[in-house]
Amino acid sequence: MPSGFVPTDILNWFKKKDIEPSFDYRDVWKEEHSNAFTVAKMLNADLLVDVKSIVEEAIEQGQTFEQFRGMLKPLLVKSGWWGIQEMIDPLSGDLKPVQLGSEGRLKTIYKTNMRTARAAGQWERIERTKRAMPYLLYQNGPSKEHRLEHVKWKGTLLPVDDPWWDAHMTPNGWGCKCWIRQVSKFEAEKLIADDKVSTNSPKGGTKRWLNKRTGEEEVLPEGIEPGWNYNPGKSRTDAMQGDLLQKEARMREALSRSV
């Protein structure tokens, strides 16, 4: 994310996250990431709060990775959360050698949080403006090499409310740089007339994947990596609506008992 103005949607989405200490990245899964900030192997809640604050500052200021690393690495080193160490897996009780802080982990923390926050903020804007700009266009990013399925999806033009976006809203995997562009009906009609887009939902295959941490098996679309088959912004909205419905149901139940 380049430096400069950062839309408030992006920052607000990230600020609303709670923290969720976890041992393995599969312990906090898919939609849970929309509501919780986590770093695998970071079980110290106080350290996790400090790291979230640094990520939040990086989003707010539009920091480069180098600026972000300059803030986070000294904290992790000072806290002893660096290098390979032995930790007990809370799930199995086994003592395992694990990778804590490293240059690679710093890049993962930076890129993953920046991209998912940007995607979630974008989705909130999409929902607000879909009457004027009712279509979304799948685009490949600046990567030197793209996943084969992602190349096939380039130029897919579908309505905002098409269910295909539930699992295919970018990013769609570790390091995925694909992006979505929102377009007006006028532009969509021009792209269709020029035969530059496809207006059919891609009919790719599926694959089964077992989450060995939870024992749950999932069916994933081809081209989507495990844990990325969800829409960050929509998941937060759906969760909030679900909470609201639950609260309303509890209120109605309480009122019925008081009558």
Side-chain angles (χ1 to χ4, degrees):
M1 182 180 298
S3 59
F5 174 74
V6 177
T8 55
D9 312 71
I10 297 175
L11 185 61
N12 289 340
W13 180 85
F14 187 83
K15 280 185 173 182
K16 291 175 183 176
K17 282 191 173 190
D18 294 323
I19 61 164
E20 184 71 31
S22 67
F23 181 82
D24 190 284
Y25 78 95
R26 293 165 296 181
D27 294 339
V28 180
W29 201 237
K30 289 173 39 178
E31 291 87 349
E32 294 176 336
H33 282 284
S34 295
N35 299 303
F37 175 78
T38 188
V39 176
K41 311 295 186 298
M42 190 171 289
L43 303 181
N44 184 322
D46 291 335
L47 179 59
L48 195 57
V49 167
D50 290 340
V51 174
K52 180 179 183 287
S53 179
I54 290 176
V55 174
E56 185 177 306
E57 186 175 324
I59 293 173
E60 185 171 18
Q61 297 178 3
Q63 292 179 2
T64 63
F65 170 68
E66 288 71 22
Q67 292 171 317
F68 173 76
R69 178 177 58 190
M71 293 291 293
L72 182 56
K73 184 176 179 179
L75 171 67
L76 298 183
V77 172
K78 183 179 179 181
S79 301
W81 201 86
W82 195 261
I84 297 177
Q85 299 183 28
E86 289 192 333
M87 291 182 67
I88 295 176
D89 183 342
L91 186 63
S92 66
D94 296 333
L95 184 66
K96 301 177 179 180
V98 298
Q99 177 68 61
L100 300 183
S102 67
E103 293 296 322
R105 295 292 310 272
L106 293 180
K107 288 182 181 179
T108 298
I109 293 169
Y110 175 82
K111 292 179 179 180
T112 300
N113 283 285
M114 288 290 188
R115 288 174 184 157
T116 54
R118 181 168 52 191
Q122 181 186 16
W123 189 260
E124 292 185 6
R125 294 195 301 276
I126 287 170
E127 287 286 359
R128 288 200 310 269
T129 60
K130 65 182 180 182
R131 289 187 64 183
M133 304 181 74
Y135 293 93
L136 300 178
L137 181 64
Y138 194 100
Q139 302 278 266
N140 292 146
S143 301
K144 292 182 180 179
E145 295 184 10
H146 299 286
R147 296 165 175 85
L148 180 59
E149 294 295 329
H150 297 195
V151 173
K152 294 179 182 178
W153 298 337
K154 180 181 179 181
T156 296
L157 179 73
L158 298 170
V160 168
D161 294 327
D162 192 290
W164 193 76
W165 300 115
D166 291 350
H168 293 80
M169 182 64 183
T170 58
N172 289 314
W174 301 103
C176 174
K177 297 178 182 177
C178 294
W179 57 290
I180 301 300
R181 187 163 71 85
Q182 190 176 10
V183 300
S184 65
K185 183 178 179 180
F186 174 80
E187 182 181 359
E189 290 173 347
K190 188 175 187 305
L191 289 170
I192 294 170
D194 293 341
D195 199 26
K196 292 183 177 180
V197 296
S198 170
T199 57
N200 297 315
S201 299
K203 303 299 181 184
T206 59
K207 57 185 177 183
R208 292 187 175 277
W209 179 80
L210 176 65
N211 186 334
K212 294 181 179 179
R213 299 290 292 181
T214 65
E216 296 179 1
E217 186 177 73
E218 295 186 36
V219 178
L220 307 175
E222 287 287 352
I224 305 289
E225 292 184 12
W228 293 89
N229 54 321
Y230 77 109
N231 183 324
K234 189 173 184 179
S235 295
R236 166 72 67 77
T237 301
D238 289 348
M240 291 175 65
Q241 290 176 341
D243 289 344
L244 181 60
L245 290 174
Q246 290 180 5
K247 290 179 181 178
E248 290 178 346
R250 288 196 296 268
M251 288 179 64
R252 286 196 297 270
E253 183 180 353
L255 287 172
S256 64
R257 289 198 302 264
S258 63
V259 174

